[in-house]
Amino acid sequence: MLTADPQSVLSVGATLGEGPVWVARDAALWFVDIKGHRIHRYDPALDVGRSWGTPGQVGWILPTDDGLFAVGLQSGVHSFDPATASFTLRHAPEAHLPGNRQNDACVAPDGAIWFGSMDDAEEAQSGHFYRLHEGACIESGLPAVSITNGPALSPDGRILYHTDTLGKRIWRTALAPDGTVGNTSLFARIEDGAGYPDGPTIDAEGCLWTGLFGGWAVRRYDPTGTLMREVRFPVANITKIAFGGDDLTTAYATTARKGLDMTALAQQPLAGDLFAFDPGVAGLPGHVATI
């Protein structure tokens, strides 16, 4: 039975689980293991998982309007066909930055994919946000950071939330209907000792949930940036949540083993698993991308 306390629902031992997304057409949750070079699918009705290998580090996976998926590999954005396990390169916006990789993404109401990149060494300020829509991939113009996370969009698609993970800050930026970014302001700062803000997700009430890497929790903030709730986990590295199920009232959370030594792993045997809990609120219906 689903409870407010997170429970492991799929044991995958992900080195760096990320990017959970509920795909309604499959009635399944998809997510990735960036460092493990894997795409995972979890079917809750059958309580079974399936996975595919990827040709390199994979930051995110999102459904597309052709029935396939868009996947953010280190080499660029690819189309992915699960039936044939094949990848087709569509865009390579950072071919000139071989030290970068992709890290997180979301689909806007208009079908655009917003995604971010980062320095794989987690040092250089080389991470950028991009908007990909109907064949055009455009750099957003937002300031570069070392590790991007998100972005996520408000329910009306007019506010873009984006995270500077190492800076421990979540920002909000106004969006024009054509995707042009406007004014940016600080949304929330994660205090020292609480971990690092990882992937953000927006619920049906317009509140933002963020995973806390190294913080043993996920947090919920209201639209003004005020902390409303914290959900504690039995593992340290929570990367992102997604709302799933027929009524979008199940919260799924990806986690990571990355950075944990043997002692920590012995104390956190569920690290890297997929978790689920009752968030007490519904999520937003997902969108399919037009790339």
Coordinates of all heavy atoms in Angstrom, one line a residue, residues 83-172:
A83 N 11.6 -0.7 -29.5 CA 11.4 -2.0 -30.2 C 12.6 -2.5 -30.8 O 12.8 -3.7 -30.9 CB 10.3 -1.8 -31.2
T84 N 13.5 -1.6 -31.3 CA 14.7 -2.1 -31.9 C 16.0 -1.7 -31.1 O 17.1 -2.0 -31.6 CB 14.8 -1.4 -33.3 OG1 14.8 0.0 -33.2 CG2 13.6 -1.8 -34.2
A85 N 15.8 -1.0 -30.0 CA 16.9 -0.5 -29.2 C 17.9 0.3 -30.0 O 19.1 0.3 -29.8 CB 17.7 -1.7 -28.6
S86 N 17.3 1.1 -31.0 CA 18.2 1.9 -31.9 C 18.1 3.4 -31.5 O 17.1 3.9 -31.0 CB 17.7 1.7 -33.3 OG 16.4 2.1 -33.5
F87 N 19.2 4.1 -31.8 CA 19.4 5.5 -31.5 C 19.7 6.2 -32.8 O 20.6 5.8 -33.5 CB 20.4 5.8 -30.4 CG 20.1 5.2 -29.1 CD1 20.4 3.8 -28.8 CD2 19.5 5.9 -28.1 CE1 20.2 3.3 -27.6 CE2 19.3 5.4 -26.8 CZ 19.6 4.0 -26.6
T88 N 19.0 7.3 -33.0 CA 19.3 8.1 -34.2 C 19.6 9.6 -33.8 O 18.7 10.2 -33.2 CB 18.1 8.1 -35.2 OG1 17.8 6.7 -35.5 CG2 18.4 8.9 -36.5
L89 N 20.8 10.1 -34.2 CA 21.1 11.4 -33.8 C 20.3 12.5 -34.5 O 20.1 12.4 -35.7 CB 22.6 11.7 -34.1 CG 23.1 13.1 -33.8 CD1 23.1 13.4 -32.3 CD2 24.6 13.3 -34.3
R90 N 19.7 13.4 -33.7 CA 18.9 14.5 -34.3 C 19.5 15.8 -34.2 O 19.4 16.6 -35.1 CB 17.5 14.5 -33.6 CG 16.7 13.1 -33.7 CD 16.3 12.9 -35.1 NE 15.3 13.9 -35.6 CZ 14.0 13.8 -35.4 NH1 13.5 12.7 -34.7 NH2 13.2 14.7 -35.8
H91 N 20.2 16.1 -33.0 CA 20.8 17.4 -32.8 C 22.0 17.2 -31.9 O 22.0 16.4 -31.0 CB 19.8 18.4 -32.1 CG 18.6 18.7 -32.9 ND1 18.5 19.6 -33.9 CD2 17.3 18.1 -32.8 CE1 17.3 19.6 -34.4 NE2 16.6 18.7 -33.8
A92 N 23.1 18.0 -32.3 CA 24.3 17.9 -31.5 C 24.7 19.4 -31.1 O 25.7 19.9 -31.7 CB 25.4 17.2 -32.2
P93 N 24.0 20.0 -30.2 CA 24.3 21.4 -29.9 C 25.6 21.7 -29.3 O 26.0 22.9 -29.3 CB 23.1 21.8 -29.0 CG 22.8 20.5 -28.3 CD 22.9 19.5 -29.3
E94 N 26.2 20.7 -28.7 CA 27.5 21.0 -28.0 C 28.6 20.1 -28.5 O 29.5 19.6 -27.7 CB 27.3 20.8 -26.5 CG 26.4 21.9 -25.9 CD 26.5 22.0 -24.4 OE1 26.8 21.0 -23.8 OE2 26.1 23.1 -23.8
A95 N 28.6 19.8 -29.8 CA 29.7 19.0 -30.4 C 31.1 19.7 -30.2 O 32.1 19.0 -30.1 CB 29.5 18.9 -31.9
H96 N 31.1 21.0 -29.9 CA 32.3 21.7 -29.7 C 32.7 21.6 -28.2 O 33.8 22.2 -27.8 CB 32.2 23.2 -30.1 CG 31.1 23.9 -29.3 ND1 29.7 23.5 -29.4 CD2 31.1 24.9 -28.5 CE1 29.0 24.3 -28.6 NE2 29.9 25.2 -28.1
L97 N 31.9 21.0 -27.4 CA 32.2 20.9 -25.9 C 32.2 19.4 -25.5 O 31.3 18.9 -24.8 CB 31.2 21.7 -25.1 CG 31.1 23.2 -25.3 CD1 29.9 23.8 -24.6 CD2 32.4 23.8 -24.8
P98 N 33.2 18.7 -25.9 CA 33.3 17.2 -25.6 C 33.3 16.9 -24.1 O 33.0 15.8 -23.8 CB 34.5 16.7 -26.3 CG 35.4 18.0 -26.4 CD 34.5 19.1 -26.6
G99 N 33.7 17.8 -23.3 CA 33.7 17.6 -21.9 C 32.3 17.8 -21.2 O 32.2 17.5 -20.0
N100 N 31.3 18.2 -21.9 CA 30.0 18.4 -21.4 C 29.1 17.2 -21.7 O 29.4 16.3 -22.5 CB 29.3 19.6 -22.1 CG 29.5 20.9 -21.3 OD1 30.4 21.0 -20.5 ND2 28.7 21.9 -21.7
R101 N 28.1 17.0 -20.9 CA 27.1 16.0 -21.1 C 25.7 16.6 -20.8 O 25.6 17.7 -20.1 CB 27.3 14.8 -20.3 CG 27.1 15.0 -18.8 CD 27.1 13.6 -18.1 NE 27.1 13.7 -16.6 CZ 26.0 13.9 -15.9 NH1 24.8 14.1 -16.5 NH2 26.1 14.0 -14.6
Q102 N 24.6 16.0 -21.2 CA 23.3 16.4 -20.9 C 22.9 15.9 -19.6 O 23.3 14.8 -19.1 CB 22.3 16.0 -22.0 CG 22.6 16.7 -23.3 CD 21.6 16.5 -24.4 OE1 20.4 16.5 -24.1 NE2 22.0 16.2 -25.6
N103 N 21.9 16.6 -18.9 CA 21.7 16.2 -17.5 C 20.2 16.2 -17.1 O 19.9 15.4 -16.2 CB 22.3 17.2 -16.5 CG 22.4 16.7 -15.1 OD1 22.8 15.6 -14.9 ND2 22.0 17.6 -14.2
D104 N 19.3 16.9 -17.7 CA 17.9 16.9 -17.2 C 17.1 17.6 -18.3 O 17.6 18.4 -19.1 CB 17.7 17.6 -15.9 CG 16.4 17.2 -15.2 OD1 15.7 16.4 -15.7 OD2 16.2 17.8 -14.1
A105 N 15.7 17.4 -18.3 CA 14.9 18.0 -19.4 C 13.4 17.9 -19.0 O 13.0 17.2 -18.1 CB 15.1 17.3 -20.7
C106 N 12.6 18.7 -19.7 CA 11.2 18.6 -19.6 C 10.5 19.0 -20.9 O 11.2 19.5 -21.8 CB 10.6 19.5 -18.5 SG 10.7 21.2 -18.8
V107 N 9.2 18.7 -21.0 CA 8.5 19.0 -22.2 C 7.5 20.1 -21.9 O 6.7 20.0 -20.9 CB 7.7 17.8 -22.8 CG1 7.0 18.2 -24.1 CG2 8.6 16.7 -23.1
A108 N 7.5 21.2 -22.7 CA 6.6 22.3 -22.5 C 5.2 22.0 -23.1 O 5.1 21.1 -23.9 CB 7.2 23.6 -23.1
P109 N 4.2 22.8 -22.7 CA 2.9 22.5 -23.3 C 2.8 22.6 -24.8 O 2.0 22.0 -25.4 CB 2.0 23.7 -22.6 CG 2.7 23.9 -21.3 CD 4.1 23.8 -21.6
D110 N 3.7 23.4 -25.4 CA 3.8 23.5 -26.9 C 4.6 22.4 -27.5 O 4.7 22.4 -28.8 CB 4.3 24.9 -27.3 CG 5.7 25.1 -26.9 OD1 6.3 24.2 -26.3 OD2 6.3 26.2 -27.2
G111 N 5.1 21.4 -26.8 CA 5.8 20.3 -27.3 C 7.3 20.6 -27.4 O 8.1 19.7 -27.9
A112 N 7.8 21.7 -27.0 CA 9.2 22.0 -27.0 C 9.9 21.3 -25.8 O 9.3 21.1 -24.8 CB 9.5 23.5 -26.8
I113 N 11.1 20.8 -26.1 CA 11.9 20.2 -25.0 C 12.9 21.3 -24.5 O 13.6 21.9 -25.3 CB 12.7 19.0 -25.5 CG1 11.8 17.9 -25.9 CG2 13.7 18.5 -24.5 CD1 12.5 16.6 -26.5
W114 N 12.8 21.5 -23.2 CA 13.8 22.3 -22.6 C 14.8 21.4 -21.9 O 14.4 20.5 -21.1 CB 13.2 23.2 -21.5 CG 12.4 24.4 -22.1 CD1 11.1 24.4 -22.5 CD2 13.0 25.7 -22.3 NE1 10.8 25.6 -23.0 CE2 11.9 26.5 -22.9 CE3 14.2 26.3 -22.1 CZ2 12.1 27.8 -23.2 CZ3 14.4 27.6 -22.4 CH2 13.3 28.4 -23.0
F115 N 16.1 21.5 -22.1 CA 17.1 20.6 -21.5 C 18.4 21.4 -21.2 O 18.6 22.5 -21.7 CB 17.4 19.4 -22.4 CG 18.1 19.8 -23.7 CD1 19.5 19.7 -23.8 CD2 17.4 20.1 -24.9 CE1 20.1 20.0 -25.0 CE2 18.0 20.4 -26.1 CZ 19.4 20.3 -26.1
G116 N 19.1 20.8 -20.3 CA 20.4 21.5 -19.8 C 21.6 20.6 -20.0 O 21.5 19.3 -20.1
S117 N 22.7 21.2 -20.0 CA 24.0 20.5 -20.1 C 24.8 20.8 -18.9 O 24.5 21.7 -18.1 CB 24.7 20.9 -21.4 OG 25.1 22.2 -21.4
M118 N 25.9 20.1 -18.8 CA 26.8 20.4 -17.6 C 28.2 19.9 -17.9 O 28.4 19.1 -18.9 CB 26.3 19.7 -16.4 CG 26.2 18.2 -16.5 SD 25.9 17.3 -14.9 CE 27.5 17.4 -14.2
D119 N 29.2 20.4 -17.2 CA 30.6 19.9 -17.3 C 30.6 18.5 -16.6 O 30.3 18.4 -15.4 CB 31.5 20.9 -16.6 CG 32.9 20.4 -16.5 OD1 33.3 19.6 -17.4 OD2 33.7 20.8 -15.6
D120 N 31.0 17.5 -17.3 CA 31.0 16.2 -16.8 C 32.0 16.1 -15.6 O 31.8 15.2 -14.7 CB 31.4 15.1 -17.8 CG 31.1 13.7 -17.4 OD1 30.1 13.5 -16.7 OD2 31.9 12.8 -17.7
A121 N 33.0 16.9 -15.5 CA 33.9 16.9 -14.4 C 33.4 17.8 -13.2 O 34.0 17.8 -12.2 CB 35.3 17.5 -14.8
E122 N 32.3 18.4 -13.4 CA 31.6 19.2 -12.4 C 32.5 20.3 -11.9 O 32.5 20.6 -10.7 CB 31.1 18.3 -11.2 CG 30.2 17.2 -11.7 CD 29.8 16.3 -10.6 OE1 30.0 16.6 -9.4 OE2 29.1 15.2 -10.9
E123 N 33.2 21.0 -12.8 CA 34.1 22.1 -12.4 C 33.8 23.3 -13.2 O 33.6 24.4 -12.7 CB 35.5 21.6 -12.6 CG 35.9 20.5 -11.6 CD 37.3 20.0 -11.9 OE1 37.9 20.4 -12.9 OE2 37.8 19.1 -11.1
A124 N 33.9 23.2 -14.6 CA 33.8 24.4 -15.4 C 32.4 24.9 -15.5 O 31.4 24.2 -15.4 CB 34.3 24.0 -16.8
Q125 N 32.3 26.3 -15.7 CA 31.0 26.9 -15.9 C 30.6 26.8 -17.3 O 30.5 27.8 -18.1 CB 31.1 28.4 -15.5 CG 31.5 28.6 -14.0 CD 30.3 28.4 -13.1 OE1 30.2 27.4 -12.4 NE2 29.5 29.4 -13.0
S126 N 30.3 25.6 -17.8 CA 30.0 25.3 -19.2 C 28.6 24.7 -19.4 O 28.3 24.3 -20.6 CB 31.1 24.4 -19.8 OG 31.1 23.1 -19.1
G127 N 27.8 24.7 -18.4 CA 26.5 24.2 -18.6 C 25.5 25.2 -19.1 O 25.4 26.3 -18.5
H128 N 24.7 24.9 -20.1 CA 23.8 25.8 -20.7 C 22.4 25.1 -20.8 O 22.3 23.9 -20.8 CB 24.2 26.2 -22.1 CG 25.5 26.9 -22.2 ND1 25.6 28.3 -22.1 CD2 26.8 26.5 -22.3 CE1 26.8 28.7 -22.1 NE2 27.6 27.6 -22.2
F129 N 21.3 26.0 -20.9 CA 20.0 25.5 -21.2 C 19.6 25.7 -22.6 O 20.0 26.8 -23.2 CB 19.0 26.2 -20.3 CG 19.1 25.8 -18.8 CD1 19.7 26.5 -17.9 CD2 18.5 24.6 -18.4 CE1 19.8 26.2 -16.6 CE2 18.6 24.2 -17.1 CZ 19.2 25.0 -16.2
Y130 N 18.9 24.8 -23.2 CA 18.5 24.8 -24.6 C 17.0 24.6 -24.8 O 16.3 23.9 -23.9 CB 19.2 23.8 -25.4 CG 20.7 23.9 -25.5 CD1 21.5 23.5 -24.5 CD2 21.3 24.6 -26.6 CE1 22.9 23.6 -24.5 CE2 22.7 24.8 -26.6 CZ 23.4 24.3 -25.6 OH 24.8 24.5 -25.6
R131 N 16.4 25.1 -25.9 CA 15.0 24.8 -26.2 C 15.0 24.2 -27.6 O 15.6 24.7 -28.6 CB 14.2 26.1 -26.3 CG 12.7 25.9 -26.7 CD 12.0 27.2 -26.6 NE 10.5 27.1 -26.8 CZ 10.0 27.2 -28.0 NH1 10.7 27.6 -29.1 NH2 8.7 27.1 -28.2
L132 N 14.4 23.0 -27.7 CA 14.4 22.2 -28.9 C 12.9 22.1 -29.4 O 12.1 21.5 -28.6 CB 15.0 20.9 -28.7 CG 14.9 19.8 -29.9 CD1 15.4 20.3 -31.2 CD2 15.5 18.5 -29.5
H133 N 12.6 22.6 -30.5 CA 11.2 22.5 -31.0 C 11.1 22.5 -32.5 O 11.7 23.3 -33.2 CB 10.4 23.7 -30.5 CG 8.9 23.6 -30.6 ND1 8.1 24.6 -30.9 CD2 8.1 22.5 -30.5 CE1 6.8 24.2 -31.0 NE2 6.8 22.9 -30.8
E134 N 10.4 21.5 -33.0 CA 10.2 21.4 -34.5 C 11.4 21.6 -35.3 O 11.4 22.3 -36.3 CB 9.1 22.3 -34.9 CG 7.7 22.0 -34.2 CD 6.6 23.0 -34.6 OE1 6.9 24.1 -35.1 OE2 5.5 22.6 -34.4
G135 N 12.5 20.9 -34.9 CA 13.7 20.9 -35.7 C 14.7 22.0 -35.4 O 15.9 22.0 -35.9
A136 N 14.3 23.0 -34.5 CA 15.3 24.1 -34.2 C 15.7 23.9 -32.7 O 14.9 23.8 -31.8 CB 14.6 25.4 -34.4
C137 N 17.0 23.9 -32.5 CA 17.6 23.8 -31.2 C 18.3 25.1 -30.9 O 19.3 25.4 -31.6 CB 18.6 22.6 -31.1 SG 19.1 22.2 -29.4
I138 N 17.8 25.8 -29.9 CA 18.3 27.2 -29.6 C 18.8 27.3 -28.2 O 18.2 26.8 -27.3 CB 17.2 28.2 -29.9 CG1 16.7 28.1 -31.3 CG2 17.7 29.6 -29.5 CD1 15.4 29.0 -31.6
E139 N 20.0 27.9 -28.0 CA 20.5 28.1 -26.7 C 19.7 29.2 -26.0 O 19.4 30.3 -26.7 CB 22.0 28.6 -26.8 CG 22.8 28.3 -25.5 CD 22.7 29.5 -24.5 OE1 22.9 30.6 -25.0 OE2 22.3 29.2 -23.4
S140 N 19.3 29.0 -24.8 CA 18.3 29.9 -24.1 C 18.8 31.3 -23.9 O 18.0 32.2 -23.8 CB 17.8 29.3 -22.8 OG 18.9 29.3 -21.9
G141 N 20.1 31.5 -23.6 CA 20.6 32.8 -23.2 C 20.7 32.9 -21.7 O 21.2 34.0 -21.2
L142 N 20.3 31.9 -20.9 CA 20.4 32.0 -19.5 C 21.9 31.8 -19.1 O 22.7 31.2 -19.9 CB 19.6 30.8 -18.8 CG 18.1 30.9 -19.0 CD1 17.4 29.6 -18.5 CD2 17.5 32.1 -18.2
P143 N 22.3 32.4 -18.0 CA 23.7 32.3 -17.6 C 24.2 30.9 -17.5 O 23.5 30.0 -17.1 CB 23.7 33.0 -16.2 CG 22.5 33.9 -16.2 CD 21.5 33.1 -17.0
A144 N 25.5 30.7 -17.8 CA 26.1 29.4 -17.8 C 26.4 29.0 -16.3 O 26.8 29.9 -15.5 CB 27.4 29.3 -18.6
V145 N 26.3 27.7 -16.0 CA 26.6 27.2 -14.7 C 27.4 25.9 -14.8 O 27.4 25.4 -16.0 CB 25.4 27.0 -13.7 CG1 24.7 28.4 -13.5 CG2 24.4 26.0 -14.3
S146 N 27.9 25.4 -13.8 CA 28.6 24.1 -13.9 C 27.7 22.9 -14.1 O 27.8 22.1 -15.0 CB 29.5 23.9 -12.7 OG 30.2 22.6 -12.7
I147 N 26.7 22.8 -13.2 CA 25.7 21.7 -13.2 C 24.3 22.3 -13.3 O 23.8 22.9 -12.4 CB 25.8 20.8 -12.0 CG1 27.2 20.2 -11.8 CG2 24.8 19.7 -12.1 CD1 27.4 19.4 -10.6
T148 N 23.7 22.2 -14.5 CA 22.3 22.6 -14.6 C 21.4 21.4 -14.1 O 21.8 20.3 -14.2 CB 21.9 22.9 -16.1 OG1 22.1 21.6 -16.9 CG2 22.9 23.9 -16.7
N149 N 20.2 21.8 -13.7 CA 19.2 20.8 -13.4 C 17.8 21.4 -13.7 O 17.7 22.6 -13.7 CB 19.2 20.3 -11.9 CG 19.8 18.9 -11.8 OD1 19.3 18.0 -12.3 ND2 21.0 18.9 -11.2
G150 N 16.9 20.5 -14.0 CA 15.6 21.0 -14.7 C 15.9 21.2 -16.1 O 16.8 20.5 -16.7
P151 N 15.2 22.1 -16.8 CA 14.3 23.0 -16.2 C 12.9 22.3 -15.9 O 12.7 21.2 -16.2 CB 14.1 24.1 -17.2 CG 14.6 23.6 -18.5 CD 15.5 22.4 -18.2
A152 N 12.0 23.1 -15.3 CA 10.6 22.7 -15.1 C 9.7 23.9 -15.4 O 10.2 25.1 -15.3 CB 10.4 22.2 -13.7
L153 N 8.5 23.7 -15.8 CA 7.6 24.8 -16.2 C 6.4 24.9 -15.3 O 5.9 23.9 -14.8 CB 7.2 24.6 -17.6 CG 8.3 24.8 -18.7 CD1 7.9 24.0 -19.9 CD2 8.4 26.3 -19.0
S154 N 6.0 26.1 -15.0 CA 4.7 26.3 -14.3 C 3.6 25.8 -15.1 O 3.7 25.5 -16.3 CB 4.5 27.8 -14.1 OG 4.4 28.5 -15.3
P155 N 2.4 25.5 -14.4 CA 1.3 24.9 -15.1 C 0.8 25.7 -16.4 O 0.4 25.0 -17.3 CB 0.2 25.0 -14.0 CG 0.9 24.8 -12.7 CD 2.1 25.7 -12.9
D156 N 1.0 27.0 -16.4 CA 0.6 27.7 -17.6 C 1.7 27.9 -18.6 O 1.6 28.5 -19.6 CB 0.1 29.1 -17.2 CG 1.1 30.0 -16.5 OD1 2.3 29.6 -16.4 OD2 0.7 31.1 -16.1
G157 N 2.9 27.3 -18.3 CA 4.0 27.4 -19.2 C 4.7 28.7 -19.3 O 5.6 28.9 -20.2
R158 N 4.4 29.7 -18.4 CA 4.9 31.0 -18.5 C 6.1 31.3 -17.6 O 6.7 32.3 -17.6 CB 3.8 32.0 -18.2 CG 2.6 31.9 -19.1 CD 3.0 32.1 -20.6 NE 3.6 33.4 -20.9 CZ 2.8 34.5 -21.2 NH1 1.5 34.4 -21.3 NH2 3.4 35.6 -21.4
I159 N 6.4 30.3 -16.7 CA 7.6 30.5 -15.8 C 8.5 29.2 -15.9 O 8.0 28.1 -15.9 CB 7.1 30.6 -14.3 CG1 6.3 31.9 -14.1 CG2 8.4 30.7 -13.4 CD1 5.7 32.0 -12.7
L160 N 9.7 29.5 -16.2 CA 10.7 28.5 -16.3 C 11.5 28.4 -15.0 O 12.2 29.4 -14.6 CB 11.7 28.7 -17.5 CG 12.7 27.7 -17.8 CD1 12.0 26.5 -18.5 CD2 13.8 28.2 -18.7
Y161 N 11.5 27.3 -14.3 CA 12.3 27.1 -13.1 C 13.6 26.3 -13.5 O 13.5 25.3 -14.2 CB 11.6 26.3 -12.1 CG 10.3 26.9 -11.5 CD1 9.1 26.7 -12.1 CD2 10.4 27.8 -10.5 CE1 7.9 27.3 -11.6 CE2 9.3 28.5 -10.0 CZ 8.0 28.2 -10.5 OH 6.9 28.8 -10.1
H162 N 14.8 26.8 -13.1 CA 16.0 26.2 -13.5 C 17.0 26.2 -12.3 O 17.0 27.2 -11.5 CB 16.6 26.8 -14.7 CG 16.6 28.3 -14.7 ND1 17.8 29.0 -14.5 CD2 15.7 29.2 -15.0 CE1 17.5 30.3 -14.6 NE2 16.2 30.5 -14.9
T163 N 17.8 25.2 -12.2 CA 18.6 25.0 -11.0 C 20.1 25.1 -11.3 O 20.6 24.5 -12.3 CB 18.3 23.6 -10.4 OG1 16.9 23.6 -10.0 CG2 19.1 23.4 -9.2
D164 N 20.8 25.8 -10.4 CA 22.3 25.8 -10.4 C 22.6 25.0 -9.2 O 22.6 25.4 -8.0 CB 22.8 27.3 -10.2 CG 24.3 27.4 -9.9 OD1 25.0 26.3 -10.0 OD2 24.8 28.5 -9.6
T165 N 22.9 23.7 -9.5 CA 23.1 22.7 -8.4 C 24.2 23.1 -7.4 O 24.1 23.1 -6.2 CB 23.2 21.3 -9.0 OG1 22.0 20.9 -9.6 CG2 23.6 20.3 -7.9
L166 N 25.4 23.3 -8.0 CA 26.6 23.6 -7.1 C 26.4 24.9 -6.4 O 26.9 25.1 -5.3 CB 27.9 23.6 -7.9 CG 28.4 22.3 -8.4 CD1 29.7 22.4 -9.1 CD2 28.4 21.2 -7.3
G167 N 25.7 25.9 -7.0 CA 25.4 27.1 -6.4 C 24.2 27.1 -5.3 O 24.0 28.0 -4.7
K168 N 23.6 25.9 -5.3 CA 22.5 25.6 -4.3 C 21.3 26.6 -4.5 O 20.7 27.0 -3.5 CB 23.0 25.6 -2.9 CG 24.0 24.5 -2.6 CD 24.4 24.5 -1.1 CE 25.4 23.4 -0.8 NZ 25.7 23.4 0.6
R169 N 21.1 27.0 -5.7 CA 20.0 28.0 -6.0 C 19.1 27.5 -7.1 O 19.5 26.9 -8.1 CB 20.6 29.3 -6.4 CG 21.3 30.1 -5.3 CD 22.0 31.3 -5.8 NE 22.5 32.1 -4.7 CZ 23.6 31.9 -4.0 NH1 24.4 30.8 -4.3 NH2 23.9 32.7 -3.0
I170 N 17.8 27.8 -6.9 CA 16.8 27.5 -7.9 C 16.3 28.9 -8.3 O 15.9 29.7 -7.5 CB 15.6 26.7 -7.3 CG1 16.1 25.3 -6.8 CG2 14.5 26.4 -8.4 CD1 15.1 24.6 -6.0
W171 N 16.2 29.1 -9.7 CA 15.8 30.4 -10.2 C 14.5 30.3 -11.0 O 14.1 29.2 -11.4 CB 16.9 30.9 -11.2 CG 18.3 31.0 -10.6 CD1 19.2 30.1 -10.5 CD2 18.8 32.2 -10.0 NE1 20.3 30.6 -9.8 CE2 20.1 31.9 -9.5 CE3 18.3 33.5 -9.8 CZ2 20.9 32.9 -8.9 CZ3 19.1 34.4 -9.1 CH2 20.4 34.1 -8.7
R172 N 13.8 31.4 -11.1 CA 12.6 31.4 -11.9 C 12.8 32.5 -13.0 O 13.2 33.6 -12.7 CB 11.4 31.6 -11.1 CG 11.4 32.8 -10.2 CD 10.1 33.0 -9.4 NE 9.0 33.5 -10.2 CZ 7.7 33.4 -10.0 NH1 7.4 32.7 -8.9 NH2 6.8 33.9 -10.8

